[in-house]
Amino acid sequence: MAGDGGLAIEARGVVRRFGPVEALRGLDITVPYGQVTALVGANGAGKTTLLLILATLLAPDAGTVRIAGHDALARPAEARDALGWMPDAFGVYDQLTVDEYLGFFADAYGLPKQERPRRIRALLSLVHLDDHLGRPVHALSRGQKQRLGMARALVHRPRVLLLDEPASGLDPRSRIELRDLLRSLAADGVAVLVSSHILSELEEIADRVVLVDHGRTAGDHAMAEITGTSARVRWRIRSLDPEPLASALARELEELPWVQAADVAGGAEVGPLTEGEAAGLLARLVAAGVPVSGLAPAGSALESAYLAMTENRR
Ligand SMILES: Nc1ncnc2c1ncn2[C@@H]1O[C@H](COP(=O)(O)OP(=O)(O)OP(=O)(O)O)[C@@H](O)[C@H]1O
Ligand SMILES: [Mg+2]
């Protein structure tokens, strides 16, 4: 399905200004087929601006954008045929029913008429909205609208999928279904680029993480590199008695000046430490007689990595 075998997305030196605001300041990004790439970064970092440009809905002031091998600036229609787009907010098609809504996009993408009803039913079933066929779009809940937006993005079986915070309004089950859907699309060779602030979920969804900071790419990492056993994260240590834990930790950390510890309910949080370093610390605490009842990563590894990468950037 990867077609030309090249990159799904290749954007270089992308600049976009809004009046005095430089939303994108020469951003570079490449996205391969068959993987889920996560776009993370602070509010206002430029993620939505980038996704709109990749979706050919916003023109950059400078830079080049290739989507599925097409020059997206010179030939936007060809790029649009190859890509599916799910915005962070739902558009205004409120007078339409759910199937009319998908029919509208099936039409716009030139899906053969006789194929449409079957395709629409398959899409609604994919996002678990089968029961809502014939209902007006405005009667859907926020999360249901988002799932409809996902179905819309997939109408024409795009090879490149751009999603702006697709999980933000979803209930826990729908989030798991979204994760499974994105994984299976990637397994089919689709290039998925997804922005999200829910880092703990991205950890399970994404193969790669691209960090956007003040309109530029500030990091590009394989997820395995971030979440592997050599990644340094914070650890939560539980103790039956906080006193001996606090004093033993204070002694231990004299040797490890870069490690920080804080008291939390039921114990302490320490880090950043690798899994091996945490295991060593645990052994020494137990040997010192601390009644340790638990050791576990605090938050997700991606969250820790994100905080470390953005520490000095605020
Ligand atoms: N239409 C617009 N007019 C003026 N400024 C804009 C416009 N769109 C975006 N900006 C500005 O560009 C910058 C990047 O915004 P963008 O929406 O791309 O950020 P984001 O990374 O998607 O943030 P969030 O995580 O909050 O969604 C911000 O400073 C924002 O205020
Ligand atoms: Mg945004």
Side-chain angles (χ1 to χ4, degrees):
M1 195 159 177
D4 51 18
L7 288 165
I9 299 174
E10 193 175 2
R12 308 269 176 211
V14 180
V15 174
R16 172 70 206 207
R17 297 180 201 92
F18 295 102
V21 177
E22 245 193 328
L24 298 179
R25 304 188 298 165
L27 182 143
D28 300 312
I29 187 172
T30 55
V31 176
Y33 289 105
Q35 290 193 9
V36 178
T37 302
L39 209 51
V40 302
N43 294 136
K47 304 178 296 297
T48 296
T49 305
L50 172 65
L51 288 169
L52 285 168
I53 288 171
L54 298 178
T56 74
L57 299 172
L58 185 72
D61 294 318
T64 58
V65 178
R66 295 187 79 78
I67 303 288
H70 306 289
D71 181 335
L73 306 177
R75 299 182 169 278
E78 288 169 20
R80 238 172 267 158
D81 281 345
L83 69 85
W85 158 244
M86 180 180 167
D88 58 350
F90 203 77
V92 280
Y93 299 91
D94 281 0
Q95 300 306 315
L96 301 177
T97 63
V98 164
D99 38 314
E100 282 168 349
Y101 177 81
L102 291 181
F104 172 82
F105 286 98
D107 195 24
Y109 284 113
L111 228 73
K113 236 192 169 75
Q114 65 277 18
E115 206 192 301
R116 274 180 223 167
R118 201 157 18 104
R119 182 75 187 138
I120 289 173
R121 272 197 305 277
L123 285 166
L124 287 176
S125 141
L126 192 68
V127 298
H128 303 277
L129 286 176
D130 326 51
D131 297 345
H132 298 270
L133 198 93
R135 278 188 81 192
V137 171
H138 70 78
L140 300 182
S141 74
R142 174 164 129 86
Q144 288 167 341
K145 278 185 188 157
Q146 254 173 308
R147 277 148 53 193
L148 182 61
M150 182 71 190
R152 169 200 142 174
L154 295 172
V155 161
H156 56 305
R157 299 185 178 84
R159 295 197 290 141
V160 181
L161 192 58
L162 307 171
L163 310 165
D164 199 2
E165 299 189 38
S168 62
L170 298 185
D171 64 45
R173 180 179 299 279
S174 302
R175 286 184 178 192
I176 292 167
E177 286 163 359
L178 175 72
R179 179 191 72 195
D180 294 348
L181 178 57
L182 296 187
R183 291 297 338 154
S184 83
L185 286 165
D188 283 346
V190 175
V192 181
L193 180 63
V194 52
S195 85
S196 176
H197 291 294
I198 310 169
L199 300 185
S200 52
E201 284 178 9
L202 283 180
E203 207 172 297
E204 290 177 31
I205 295 177
D207 303 291
R208 269 173 73 231
V209 182
V210 172
L211 177 69
V212 179
D213 179 54
H214 291 99
R216 288 203 186 93
T217 303
D220 182 342
H221 304 273
M223 189 64 82
E225 197 185 301
I226 291 176
T227 60
T229 52
S230 59
R232 284 204 153 80
V233 300
R234 294 184 65 77
W235 297 81
R236 182 157 296 183
I237 305 170
R238 287 183 66 82
S239 170
L240 298 175
D241 187 353
E243 260 309 302
L245 174 63
S247 49
L249 266 182
R251 278 196 307 278
E252 284 293 330
L253 298 189
E254 275 170 25
E255 318 260 303
L256 308 167
W258 70 92
V259 177
Q260 294 181 350
D263 293 338
V264 295
E269 225 179 83
V270 292
L273 294 170
T274 64
E275 199 165 331
E277 290 165 348
L281 177 64
L282 173 66
R284 291 192 299 280
L285 292 174
V286 171
V290 179
V292 176
S293 58
L295 173 74
S300 76
L302 181 55
E303 251 161 22
S304 300
Y306 174 81
L307 293 174
M309 287 189 283
T310 55
E311 199 163 39
N312 303 314
R313 299 177 194 272
R314 290 195 71 115

